[in-house]
Amino acid sequence: MDVTSDSSNYFYGGFDFFFEADNRSPTPDESAKLMTIESALDVAYVSKKHAYFQSGELNYYRATGDPIISTGYLHFRANFLRKRRLSYELFLQSSFDASRRLDSRHLAGVGIKYRFFDFDGFELDMGTGILNEYERWETFDAVSEVVNIDLWKSSTYIKSNLDVSESATLSFITFYQVGYDGDINAFRNRVSAELQLAFEITEHFSFVAEGMVHYEDKPVIDINKTVYGISNGVRYVF
């Protein structure tokens, strides 16, 4: 839904249910493919001048015969002066990834958003800003150690939405984040990208197929640098 329109004072959102196969291996030397069930909830409120978004996700998977919750996040974002070509953003996020020993990640940041294109069937935006990120990891050693890291980072993203047909929408977003870590005297770089194709089945139900890739050049602990995932499922829109 286009939040740059003149419509205002309304809620909208969606609930997703996905089945996923990915390579979320626990260590670089051990190959493990996991079967995952993923649920997500997105809610937005659009006022006359601003827009507020909240999204969350929980992943449940079975590994070595035992089901556990592997990953999850909660994200809040506010877009101020949403109708302007240049608008402003504030965002907060908390997440965890038990399978990769990320106990918690908390971040908060601010930035600007620039709309390059916005016409019927196509939208292209770019945002950039600064954030503070705190992470708590546990190593895979026989006696695990806790590693805490607190960094200031720049964060830049590009996102687009394209109406492929009257019933199909293609969406893409990619993030690049970088921060200097004085403990290792080097920059830590992170790139994440997601591609999603949604087909409208009825007024309230859509079929969704999506793929994601996540890369970190200097992981805090000894884990795979690249993680990918492919999933598909049904979305309920309200």
Side-chain angles (χ1 to χ4, degrees), residues 51-55 74-78 80 90-94:
Y52 307 91
F53 307 88
Q54 181 172 298
S55 61
L74 183 65
H75 181 89
F76 171 80
R77 182 175 295 263
F80 302 108
L90 177 149
F91 52 92
L92 306 168
Q93 181 170 307
S94 292

Side-chain angles (χ1 to χ4, degrees), residues 131-145:
L131 63 86
N132 181 256
E133 180 179 78
Y134 170 80
E135 296 178 329
R136 175 185 169 92
W137 296 81
E138 289 189 38
T139 66
F140 286 93
D141 302 330
V143 178
S144 63
E145 297 182 4

Side-chain angles (χ1 to χ4, degrees), residues 39-103:
S39 60
L41 177 66
D42 300 310
V43 180
Y45 174 70
V46 181
S47 70
K48 186 175 182 179
K49 292 184 178 181
H50 316 302
Y52 307 91
F53 307 88
Q54 181 172 298
S55 61
E57 182 179 293
L58 283 177
N59 298 335
Y60 175 94
Y61 79 106
R62 184 181 294 272
T64 62
D66 295 321
I68 64 171
I69 293 175
S70 60
T71 66
Y73 77 85
L74 183 65
H75 181 89
F76 171 80
R77 182 175 295 263
N79 182 209
F80 302 108
L81 305 176
R82 63 181 180 86
K83 296 181 182 179
R84 296 184 180 181
R85 184 175 291 273
L86 179 64
S87 58
Y88 308 93
E89 295 186 309
L90 177 149
F91 52 92
L92 306 168
Q93 181 170 307
S94 292
S95 61
F96 71 94
D97 189 338
S99 62
R100 289 164 64 83
R101 296 291 185 95
L102 174 61
D103 289 343

Side-chain angles (χ1 to χ4, degrees), residues 141-160:
D141 302 330
V143 178
S144 63
E145 297 182 4
V146 174
V147 180
N148 297 307
I149 184 169
D150 190 346
L151 295 180
W152 285 95
K153 293 182 173 182
S154 67
S155 178
T156 301
Y157 70 84
I158 296 177
K159 74 179 185 73
S160 66

